[in-house]
Amino acid sequence: QVKGQGKNGCAAFLPHMQTTYLNRLSIENDLREAIKQGDQFELYFQPQIEALTGQATGLEVLIRWHHPKEGMISPDVFIPIAEETGLIVAISDWVLWKACSHFAALSAMGFDNLRLGINLSPREFDRSDFMERIQLPLEEFGVPPQLLDIEITESLLMKDVESIVARIQRLRDTGIHISIDDFGTRYSSLNYLRRFSVNRIKIDQSFVRDLGLSQDSYAIIQAIVGIAKNFKLNVIAEGVETAQQLEILHQLGCSEMQGYFFSRPLPFEKTLEFLKTTPQYALG
Ligand code: C2E
Ligand code: MG
Ligand code: MG
Ligand code: MG
């Protein structure tokens, strides 16, 4: 039994253990090495789509780790370990700087109004210098704060409420956007939506996956879209894989989407190709 694993860390760890038996400690050590070297990490981008037009409005940035011996290790495996060991701080910095440099390259090619969705761990908000850490790469690469969309999970909003409210407000004051990731999966006391100044909620893919199969998921998504409307928040659905899900979501009033139906997360070069291609699936 490995000590200190959260429920999620454990669930995510199991599938990988079955194949290669990389233990937690060696992941931690290898992660340290990877952070030192830098070139084992890569950023993938998943387009976020305005369903009516098929146009990309943003890109979610998703880290990939090419382990020298084990091949690709999923962020679901190593991010929880990075969070528990504090290594996440260095990883987040790397992600922010790298993503901003990619933004500059996209911008130079004319794609200068895509929002960049960056996943930040709750740990990030504990750092006293968190504002500088976020703003520095934006300034360095000329990324307008309005085009940074920070994805946080509900768990962040549950702890140390006063200081988190203040920190999120400071980010919002600079124009930075905030999305709540995996909305509906945690213990949601909707009360926090009143207190936190966020821009958008992301409907978790588990609800989207069951659309058309379960009445419950339909009702939950309907409720989430209603909440978003009432709180004047934008809403985006994650994990859209089929035309049927697209149709239902659209009928329910969710107009922004992300998922394999449109595109898998892509490496940078492929992202460019995607952006240059005319969308095939406008709802019209
Ligand atoms: P997330 O932020 O909720 O990201 C969505 C995950 O769903 C991604 O998995 C994405 O590849 C996957 N996905 C997207 N569309 C579909 C679909 O249509 N069907 C299915 N089945 N899956 C889809 P990924 O890239 O493996 O990332 C997993 C999680 O790891 C992310 O969940 C996020 O919590 C975390 N993560 C990824 N990159 C970073 C990062 O740079 N920093 C931090 N702190 N966490 C990250
Ligand atoms: Mg996310
Ligand atoms: Mg998510
Ligand atoms: Mg997630």
Side-chain angles (χ1 to χ4, degrees):
Q1 192 63 31
V2 190
K3 246 183 73 186
Q5 279 180 352
K7 194 172 127 252
N8 291 333
C10 193
F13 196 53
L14 275 170
H16 198 255
M17 279 174 70
Q18 285 164 2
T19 50
T20 56
Y21 198 75
L22 247 190
N23 71 40
R24 189 178 185 76
L25 198 62
S26 71
I27 290 193
E28 185 185 331
N29 288 335
D30 294 352
L31 211 44
R32 259 177 232 288
E33 191 56 35
I35 289 165
K36 243 185 273 162
Q37 292 189 358
D39 61 356
Q40 294 177 24
F41 296 120
E42 184 180 5
L43 294 183
Y44 274 43
F45 301 85
Q46 188 176 37
Q48 300 178 329
I49 306 292
E50 169 60 51
L52 207 54
T53 60
Q55 292 294 331
T57 56
L59 300 169
E60 180 171 2
V61 176
L62 296 157
I63 195 170
R64 296 291 176 260
W65 180 17
H66 304 283
H67 189 283
K69 292 202 199 76
E70 305 295 328
M72 186 105 96
I73 298 183
S74 160
D76 278 329
V77 172
F78 73 84
I79 292 289
I81 296 174
E83 286 175 342
E84 281 168 34
T85 53
L87 294 171
I88 191 67
V89 168
I91 293 175
S92 299
D93 283 344
W94 185 88
V95 169
L96 277 163
W97 281 87
K98 193 73 176 177
C100 287
S101 82
H102 281 310
F103 177 94
L106 282 172
S107 205
M109 284 175 275
F111 302 105
D112 54 1
N113 57 4
L114 291 168
R115 191 162 279 149
L116 269 189
I118 307 249
N119 294 284
L120 284 188
S121 300
R123 285 285 295 252
E124 200 76 17
F125 289 78
D126 297 337
R127 308 195 294 179
S128 56
D129 60 348
F130 89 112
M131 281 296 286
E132 293 84 341
R133 298 271 185 159
I134 293 169
Q135 280 180 310
L136 215 62
L138 295 183
E139 283 164 14
E140 183 74 21
F141 288 102
V143 182
Q146 293 75 10
L147 292 184
L148 178 65
D149 174 47
I150 294 181
E151 298 193 4
I152 57 176
T153 56
E154 288 164 281
S155 56
L156 173 72
L157 308 181
M158 296 293 126
K159 58 164 209 181
D160 195 11
V161 174
E162 287 317 315
S163 92
I164 299 292
V165 167
R167 283 172 183 219
I168 288 186
Q169 193 55 53
R170 279 180 68 198
L171 289 171
R172 294 278 290 106
D173 288 344
T174 70
I176 290 172
H177 275 234
I178 308 278
S179 294
I180 303 181
D181 206 352
D182 305 341
F183 187 84
T185 55
R186 310 280 175 127
Y187 175 77
S188 328
S189 138
L190 295 177
N191 200 27
Y192 67 71
L193 284 180
R194 286 192 303 129
R195 313 208 39 210
F196 291 96
S197 163
V198 303
N199 299 88
R200 180 164 79 164
I201 52 192
K202 299 191 76 177
I203 300 173
D204 189 65
Q205 56 187 58
S206 59
F207 305 123
V208 176
R209 192 186 310 127
D210 292 345
L211 258 186
L213 305 173
S214 126
Q215 273 301 316
D216 288 351
S217 295
Y218 186 91
I220 289 170
I221 291 179
Q222 196 168 33
I224 293 176
V225 173
I227 289 164
K229 279 223 170 70
N230 283 309
F231 283 92
K232 299 191 170 57
L233 301 173
N234 294 321
V235 63
I236 179 169
E238 296 191 87
V240 179
E241 294 186 355
T242 69
Q244 189 201 17
Q245 292 165 346
L246 164 69
E247 282 295 337
I248 301 175
L249 285 163
H250 186 66
Q251 280 164 21
L252 285 174
C254 176
S255 57
E256 264 194 283
M257 305 182 197
Q258 172 182 352
Y260 295 171
F261 180 75
F262 306 99
S263 170
R264 289 184 173 258
L266 303 167
F268 185 70
E269 288 303 320
K270 291 262 189 284
T271 304
L272 263 181
E273 280 173 36
F274 178 91
L275 292 172
K276 286 175 182 162
T277 310
T278 313
Q280 306 286 306
Y281 34 72
L283 275 175

